[in-house]
């Protein structure tokens, strides 16, 4: 396990890749975590064939076997939270504290689904025809293709793989190339969980090769994907052409409304958390602060003061609040949007500059633009980094209109002490998840997760709602 070479897991075996790629620490480019296998098309074919072959027996396997396997995986993740959290922080760049919390979250998700597969229910109804009864049950879908992004490299795989296995599906899993180490560690635990060979397969490699092969493969019955909206749309189109089930979680441009009556201190704390923790690389991160004019200037001043205190540094250092940007290409994207904001005439109130931290890493000072309007590109396009904006509005009604004026609809927040505005916002926000005096990022694992518009497509993830995607409904009639 400490070997710097990390293989693929196919048909119950560790298998060499067609090539290997280094996994580089974004806090220090001289630190290579290891070399991770890349699958080619024949290796993906072998993985899909193995999953397809074992599906029939696994789909009707005992629920105790599945529950035991999921509980084993969850327990080991939680037991190894410090070790795996350190690995995650080292490869992705979120702070060690955030990374440990993510590993624990992944463990909790497996534990939740260990219970959930024991709670499968159906319905028995009388028929409209005398003597006939009707039974409605759920069955596994088939082989599920799982494609995940780099920003939550263990929690997102967990919330897709755990329900897939719980409901009797087989899995072919492709993590993001940027951060394969946590996914590999998860796969290594799954390999010892007692599930039969072929039920779970890890095929690392690029989206263009491995991902596209999975999407186009006739023996994959359902695709679950988290990533950018552009890639998601391609996957939806290709999946539709083959009548595959598809579930997409994609980008966001999440608004945080701050009203005149908000508790200023509370609003600032949740704003900093929403926009900048995890280096702003959360799909639920706030990127637009929509602030009414009575509190605007005090809010901006307090945000600048608070942001000046944030310590950007090595993800593994105990005093770091914000780690590096996950990859060089993401850093370049963040910097290009800082320039776009300037060119559009926004005021860069603080941050947005590269920082030197001894080791060569992707260190960016969290940026806040003020004097922006909602038609600017920095307010319309997803940046996916520690770059946020403030939009000044007249009143609540304008704030709500601006909040909803976006192609995305994942998460939306409001900071207010007014029950009336809070209730109205919950009802009229066009987002899948609404937060009142709570950060837009940071969700529970036992309730549905997902958005609207260009942020999500298909059934919700997580909690008991996950079964909508990972099962198909059967209606049986019996005359007896
Ligand atoms: P990408 O869409 O670039 O990649 C996501 C995954 O898709 C990666 O594993 C990638 O592989 C793979 N992929 C890329 N191209 C293809 C293709 N043509 N066919 C199949 N698979 C492909 O997103 P990022 O990894 O850059 O993640 C950031 C994005 O994810 C942001 O837009 C963010 O908002 C979104 N996101 C959404 C979340 C949500 O729940 N709504 C949660 C987290 C992130 P490769 O290894 O080659 O990169």
């Amino acid at each position: 396990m400490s070997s710097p070479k990390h293989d693929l897991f196919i048909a119950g075996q560790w298998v060499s890749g067609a090539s290997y790629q280094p996994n580089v620490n974004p806090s220090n480019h001289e630190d290579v975590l290891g070399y991770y296998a890349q699958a080619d098309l024949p290796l993906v074919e072998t993985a899909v064939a193995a999953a397809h072959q074992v599906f029939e027996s696994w789909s009707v396997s005992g629920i105790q076997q599945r529950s035991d396997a999921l509980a084993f995986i969850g327990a080991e993740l939680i037991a190894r939270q410090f070790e795996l959290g350190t690995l995650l922080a080292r490869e992705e760049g979120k702070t060690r504290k955030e990374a440990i919390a993510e590993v624990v979250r992944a463990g909790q998700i497996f534990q939740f689904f260990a219970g959930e597969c024991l709670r499968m229910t159906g319905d028995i109804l009388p028929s409209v025809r005398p003597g006939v009864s009707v039974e409605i049950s759920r069955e596994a879908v088939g082989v599920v293709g799982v494609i995940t992004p780099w920003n939550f490299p263990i929690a997102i795989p967990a919330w897709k793989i755990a329900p897939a296995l719980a409901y009797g599906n087989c899995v072919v899993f492709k993590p993001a190339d940027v951060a394969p180490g946590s996914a590999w560690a998860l796969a290594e635990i799954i390999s010892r969980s007692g599930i039969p060979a072929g039920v779970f397969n890890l095929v690392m490699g690029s989206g263009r090769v491995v991902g596209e092969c999975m999407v186009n493969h006739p023996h994959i019955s359902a695709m679950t994907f988290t990533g950018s909206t552009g890639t998601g749309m391609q996957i939806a189109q290709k999946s539709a052409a083959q009548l595959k089930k598809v579930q997409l979680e994609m980008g966001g441009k999440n608004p945080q409304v701050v009203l005149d009556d908000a508790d200023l201190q509370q609003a600032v704390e949740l704003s900093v958390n929403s926009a900048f923790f995890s280096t702003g690389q959360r799909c639920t991160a706030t990127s637009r602060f929509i602030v009414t004019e009575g509190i605007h200037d005090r809010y901006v001043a307090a945000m600048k003061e608070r942001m000046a205190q944030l310590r950007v540094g090595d993800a593994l250092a105990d005093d770091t609040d914000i780690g590096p940007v996950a990859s060089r290409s993401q850093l370049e994207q963040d910097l290009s949007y800082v320039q776009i904001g300037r060119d559009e005439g926004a005021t860069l109130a603080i941050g947005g500059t590269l920082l030197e931290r001894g080791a060569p890493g992707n260190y960016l000072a969290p940026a806040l633009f003020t004097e922006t309007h909602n038609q600017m590109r920095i307010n319309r396009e997803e940046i996916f980094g520690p770059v946020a904006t403030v939009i000044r509005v007249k009143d609540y009604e304008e704030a709500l209109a601006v909040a909803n004026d976006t192609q995305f609809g994942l998460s939306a927040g409001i900071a207010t002490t007014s029950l009336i505005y809070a209730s109205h916002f919950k009802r009229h926000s066009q987002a899948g998840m609404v937060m009142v005096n709570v950060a837009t990022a940071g969700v529970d694992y036992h309730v549905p997760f997902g958005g609207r518009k260009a942020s999500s497509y298909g059934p919700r993830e997580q909690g008991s709602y996950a079964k909508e995607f990972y099962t198909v409904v059967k209606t049986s009639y019996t005359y007896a």
Side-chain angles (χ1 to χ4, degrees):
M1 251 182 64
S2 57
S3 156
K5 256 187 155 187
H6 297 80
D7 287 338
L8 309 166
F9 187 66
I10 297 175
Q13 304 289 325
W14 292 100
V15 175
S16 298
S19 60
Y20 287 80
Q21 185 165 292
N23 184 359
V24 178
N25 179 350
S27 297
N28 178 1
H29 297 155
E30 287 162 3
D31 176 28
V32 175
L33 282 79
Y35 292 82
Y36 287 78
Q38 300 270 296
D40 58 10
L41 294 183
L43 287 163
V44 182
E45 288 284 348
T46 309
V48 177
H52 181 64
Q53 197 184 359
V54 76
F55 170 69
E56 204 174 315
S57 59
W58 173 247
S59 65
V60 294
S61 60
I63 53 174
Q64 189 64 54
Q65 182 188 5
R66 292 186 221 157
S67 178
D68 290 347
L70 295 172
F72 170 90
I73 300 162
E76 182 158 337
L77 286 168
I78 291 170
R80 291 172 58 196
Q81 59 185 273
F82 298 109
E83 172 210 341
L84 296 177
T86 301
L87 167 73
L88 199 163
R90 202 171 140 216
E91 76 166 343
E92 196 272 348
K94 64 184 60 170
T95 66
R96 194 201 310 250
K97 192 171 152 213
E98 291 169 332
I100 291 168
E102 184 181 332
V103 173
V104 171
R105 168 60 54 97
Q108 289 167 330
I109 290 164
F110 274 97
Q111 290 183 335
F112 176 85
F113 283 103
E116 199 65 4
C117 64
L118 303 177
R119 287 190 284 267
M120 280 295 277
T121 56
D123 291 312
I124 295 179
L125 281 77
S127 167
V128 293
R129 287 170 281 172
V132 175
S133 69
V134 184
E135 197 181 301
I136 300 165
S137 57
R138 286 180 180 272
E139 295 181 358
V141 179
V143 179
V144 176
V146 172
I147 298 182
T148 56
W150 45 260
N151 64 332
F152 283 93
I154 205 159
I156 292 178
W159 78 54
K160 294 179 186 296
I161 294 166
L165 298 177
Y167 298 121
N169 301 283
C170 294
V171 170
V172 177
F173 168 40
K174 190 209 98 59
D177 247 3
V178 169
S182 305
W184 190 92
L186 173 61
E188 196 280 325
I189 297 172
I190 296 174
S191 76
R192 291 184 281 104
S193 67
I195 61 173
V199 168
F200 170 83
N201 303 272
L202 171 73
V203 283
M204 297 172 287
S206 82
R208 291 250 161 258
V209 177
V210 176
E212 286 196 19
C213 177
M214 288 165 62
V215 175
N216 292 326
H217 205 293
H219 286 158
I220 291 193
S221 305
M223 285 302 310
T224 177
F225 164 86
T226 299
S228 61
T229 301
T231 308
M233 284 175 79
Q234 286 179 35
I235 290 176
Q237 284 162 4
K238 289 176 185 160
S239 297
Q242 297 178 53
L243 305 180
K244 278 191 208 315
K245 246 183 143 173
V246 63
Q247 174 185 60
L248 311 173
E249 291 301 337
M250 302 170 285
K253 198 70 198 171
N254 306 297
Q256 169 72 57
V257 170
V258 180
L259 295 185
D260 288 355
D261 63 22
D263 175 328
L264 181 62
Q265 198 53 43
Q266 183 189 57
V268 166
E269 282 310 315
L270 68 88
S271 297
V272 166
N273 175 343
S274 291
F276 305 119
F277 287 178
S278 297
T279 323
Q281 298 170 155
R282 295 184 284 191
C283 47
T284 46
T286 300
S287 47
R288 298 180 297 145
F289 295 110
I290 302 165
V291 186
T292 48
E293 54 195 9
I295 197 171
H296 177 278
D297 293 355
R298 283 181 293 136
Y299 173 81
V300 169
M303 282 291 283
K304 283 168 65 177
E305 190 182 328
R306 182 71 182 88
M307 286 175 67
Q309 297 163 358
L310 295 172
R311 290 162 304 207
V312 178
D314 189 313
L316 296 181
D318 288 338
D319 60 352
T320 294
D321 297 313
I322 295 176
V325 174
S327 69
R328 199 75 215 169
S329 64
Q330 184 61 53
L331 179 66
E332 279 160 18
Q333 176 164 312
D334 298 346
L335 288 169
S336 80
Y337 275 103
V338 170
Q339 190 55 46
I340 288 167
R342 283 191 157 122
D343 294 345
E344 288 181 309
T347 303
L348 185 57
I350 186 168
T353 51
L354 288 174
L355 300 171
E356 292 291 331
R357 288 292 181 267
N362 308 328
Y363 298 110
L364 178 63
L368 188 69
F369 278 107
T370 57
E371 309 309 329
T372 78
H373 62 75
N374 203 41
Q375 298 313 313
M376 290 176 169
R377 283 183 64 192
I378 51 170
N379 282 323
R380 302 214 77 77
E381 298 168 17
E382 183 174 52
I383 300 172
F384 213 58
V387 182
T389 68
V390 178
I391 304 169
R392 187 197 299 258
V393 291
K394 191 163 51 35
D395 53 21
Y396 168 75
E397 283 71 26
E398 187 183 353
L400 175 65
V402 171
N404 284 337
D405 178 16
T406 168
Q407 63 160 323
F408 298 108
L410 187 56
S411 181
I414 187 167
T416 181
T417 52
S418 158
L419 182 59
I420 291 175
Y421 287 136
S423 304
H424 191 274
F425 190 78
K426 279 195 279 187
R427 175 69 188 82
H428 294 276
S429 165
Q430 294 166 2
M433 296 175 290
V434 181
M435 313 291 186
V436 177
N437 295 323
V438 181
T440 57
V443 294
D444 286 5
Y445 63 87
H446 66 303
V447 292
F449 176 94
R452 297 183 185 177
K453 302 198 254 184
S455 291
S456 294
Y457 186 74
R460 286 285 184 264
E461 300 202 88
Q462 301 200 53
S464 53
Y465 283 66
K467 71 163 87 70
E468 292 302 328
F469 178 71
Y470 292 99
T471 63
V472 284
V473 171
K474 178 174 277 177
T475 310
S476 309
Y477 295 81
T478 306
Y479 178 71

